[in-house]
Amino acid sequence: MKTKDISHTPPYVPIGRNILYVPPTNKYIVEAKEHAKKYSLDKEMPNTSVIVKDGKIIGRGANGSTYHDTHECERVKRNIPTGQGYELCEGCHPKNHGESRAIKNAKDAGHNPKGADLYMWGHWWCCKPCWEAMISAGIKNVYLLENSEILFNKKDPDNIIGNN
């Protein structure tokens, strides 16, 4: 699988890393999508990450928390752009992101994610804290759904947010 040029530049990608893309028929993206439908607590942007090592899923993590059900989002109140200020809101905190939860799930199950790949459905980029967590855990590659920069981008008029 190869990288692709996209007209929508992700807000953050660490130097030396890139995002790879897979078709909607990829079995790990399909698994991530199904897991997001069942377990994501974020109604607007449900997403999930699955970690794959040696052809086996070793970790899963869906995003979201119940915090926004009873509290306003501090980031929304302050009009903070996507990708910034996650630490200001308990519901948006990186600990509630699918990537971090998948890493924790893998480790809690006794798996070492070093050298594994992460597949994420439901978003078009990874925030800086999640990249840092993935790099620290030794995640080798990050795969997103083809056209995710359109499908899951709030700013793109052709997105499917809320219709997935």
Side-chain angles (χ1 to χ4, degrees):
M1 293 173 221
K2 59 182 182 170
T3 60
K4 78 177 187 180
D5 285 331
I6 58 175
S7 59
H8 300 65
T9 303
Y12 181 77
V13 178
I15 294 172
R17 300 300 294 253
N18 55 37
I19 297 171
L20 303 168
Y21 297 86
V22 294
T25 56
N26 175 282
K27 68 181 182 179
Y28 303 121
I29 279 293
V30 169
E31 169 65 23
K33 180 180 180 181
E34 292 304 314
H35 196 78
K37 285 181 180 181
K38 288 182 185 176
Y39 299 105
S40 178
L41 297 176
D42 188 326
K43 306 301 183 236
E44 183 181 348
M45 292 290 292
N47 75 59
T48 299
S49 295
V50 296
I51 298 175
V52 178
K53 188 171 184 178
D54 300 326
K56 296 178 188 169
I57 295 175
I58 63 167
R60 292 175 178 85
N63 70 326
S65 78
T66 58
Y67 182 85
H68 292 138
D69 294 344
T70 54
H71 300 82
E72 289 184 68
C73 176
E74 192 61 36
R75 293 175 59 249
V76 170
K77 286 194 305 189
R78 295 184 188 188
N79 201 28
I80 296 173
T82 296
Q84 299 175 23
Y86 290 129
E87 70 284 353
L88 299 174
C89 177
E90 179 63 26
C92 298
H93 196 282
K95 70 182 179 186
N96 294 321
H97 293 189
E99 303 97 319
S100 299
R101 286 189 170 161
I103 292 166
K104 182 179 181 334
N105 178 255
K107 289 180 176 180
D108 287 352
H111 299 288
N112 181 354
K114 185 176 183 180
D117 295 324
L118 184 138
Y119 292 77
M120 182 169 58
W121 185 91
H123 213 359
W124 68 284
W125 64 284
C126 304
C127 69
K128 184 176 181 179
C130 286
W131 272 111
E132 289 170 350
M134 291 185 292
I135 291 167
S136 177
I139 298 294
K140 182 176 160 188
N141 294 303
V142 175
Y143 294 93
L144 303 180
L145 177 65
E146 287 176 339
N147 300 313
S148 60
E149 72 280 3
I150 295 168
L151 299 172
F152 306 119
N153 185 341
K154 292 177 185 178
K155 293 181 181 180
D156 195 293
D158 294 322
N159 74 55
I160 61 168
I161 296 168
N163 299 316
N164 43 29

